[in-house]
Amino acid sequence: AQGVPLPQPASVNRACCYNCLALPCLALFGLVAILVLTCLVFHIGIKGTRSSAGQVEHAECTEQLTLLTATWITQALFTIAALLMLILHKTLAHVEPKLFVGSFIVCAVGSCSYLAKNSGMGELDISGNKMPLVRYVDWAITIPIMLYQLCDLGGADAASTLLVISTFILFLFAAMAALCTERLKSAWCAAACLLYALTVYNLHSEVKDTLSAQDEEARNLFNSLELFCVISWSCYPVTP
């Protein structure tokens, strides 16, 4: 007797899945940006109103408390987002198994990095130069994952994805070298800028051909996320 065929899972619109994932992530980063801007405005306002020694001390205490509160709130937001991504992965693994894993790792690492900053482990003294170690560890883990997700959304092959990620890792190495040494500092800075520009160029050029074969929703989402990521990554070094 012929067996009853098992039902096949419905085809999944990858762009739709990424859209559902992008909206809460964009909201999270938007909240983080608002917190950062609030701290910067408050910091500038305090500097402009300092006069007596007592007022200076009070302003500095208030400033530190505000920054600490903002970092704890940011850490809490990343923790909630990481838990949400984990729950979605467990409940919707049949839809797109690898979709929520990368976002869970990104949010979890962000939560741990802000916890490390709040614990006083944000910087490392190397040859008299202060390097934001936690920030670069964060970058080394999270941005390659986000680059992979962008390339996956655009339909890029393995070689193109590896090229995009590897140029970013080279940029990160050059940026760390520029911070850690005074020898050939300008050369390392120039190399870091060049490699970052090359990363952005590769992300756009390597995905361009395969992106044209995707549907309109995927193309629009990729272009929006690409612009958002490049702007946020470029501005991140100046945030607390």
Side-chain angles (χ1 to χ4, degrees), residues 2 34 70 80 99 123 130 138 149 167 171 191 214 229 236:
Q2 187 176 3
I34 291 173
I80 294 171
L99 182 63
E123 295 181 340
K130 289 185 177 182
D138 186 332
Q149 290 182 315
T167 51
F171 150 74
Q214 306 297 316
C229 287
Y236 184 72

Side-chain angles (χ1 to χ4, degrees), residues 19 39 70 82 89 97 132 136 142 152 229:
N19 243 324
C39 292
H89 170 68
Y136 282 97
T142 59
D152 181 60
C229 287

Side-chain angles (χ1 to χ4, degrees), residues 81-99:
L83 292 174
L84 177 62
M85 293 300 109
L86 184 60
I87 292 171
L88 289 175
H89 170 68
K90 293 298 184 181
T91 56
L92 300 176
H94 62 285
V95 176
E96 188 74 18
K98 62 184 177 180
L99 182 63

Side-chain angles (χ1 to χ4, degrees), residues 3-228:
V4 178
L6 296 175
Q8 297 296 320
S11 59
V12 177
N13 187 330
R14 178 176 295 178
C16 181
C17 292
Y18 272 105
N19 243 324
C20 295
L21 182 62
L23 291 177
C25 290
L26 290 176
L28 171 64
F29 283 110
L31 288 173
V32 172
I34 291 173
L35 288 172
V36 169
L37 289 175
T38 302
C39 292
L40 290 176
V41 170
F42 187 79
H43 177 77
I44 294 172
I46 288 177
K47 282 189 171 182
T49 59
R50 291 176 182 173
S51 54
S52 65
Q55 289 177 331
V56 169
E57 184 178 356
H58 175 72
E60 288 178 349
C61 291
T62 307
E63 178 184 345
Q64 292 298 322
L65 180 61
T66 304
L67 291 174
L68 184 61
T69 302
T71 53
W72 276 115
I73 293 175
T74 304
Q75 194 267 337
L77 290 173
F78 274 115
T79 301
I80 294 171
L83 292 174
L84 177 62
M85 293 300 109
L86 184 60
I87 292 171
L88 289 175
H89 170 68
K90 293 298 184 181
T91 56
L92 300 176
H94 62 285
V95 176
E96 188 74 18
K98 62 184 177 180
L99 182 63
F100 299 105
V101 175
S103 298
F104 163 73
I105 297 173
V106 169
C107 293
V109 171
S111 175
C112 292
S113 66
Y114 274 93
L115 180 61
K117 291 177 182 179
N118 293 333
S119 304
M121 299 188 300
E123 295 181 340
L124 182 66
D125 196 314
I126 300 179
S127 301
N129 298 309
K130 289 185 177 182
M131 185 185 73
L133 179 63
V134 171
R135 176 172 295 176
Y136 282 97
V137 172
D138 186 332
W139 271 39
I141 299 174
T142 59
I143 292 188
I145 294 175
M146 289 188 277
L147 288 172
Y148 166 79
Q149 290 182 315
L150 279 172
C151 292
D152 181 60
L153 174 63
D157 57 24
S160 298
T161 303
L162 182 61
L163 178 62
V164 173
I165 294 176
S166 61
T167 51
F168 172 78
I169 293 175
L170 289 172
F171 150 74
L172 195 63
F173 176 79
M176 293 176 66
L179 283 175
C180 295
T181 181
E182 295 298 330
R183 299 181 60 185
L184 300 176
K185 194 178 188 70
S186 298
W188 281 116
C189 287
C193 293
L194 178 62
L195 287 166
Y196 181 72
L198 187 61
T199 300
V200 175
Y201 172 76
N202 285 337
L203 177 62
H204 182 76
S205 62
E206 292 294 323
V207 185
K208 180 174 62 175
D209 294 334
T210 54
L211 184 64
S212 60
Q214 306 297 316
D215 56 47
E216 184 178 0
E217 186 178 8
R219 292 196 301 270
N220 293 336
L221 180 60
F222 176 85
N223 292 330
S224 299
L225 289 177
E226 180 189 27
L227 180 62
F228 174 79

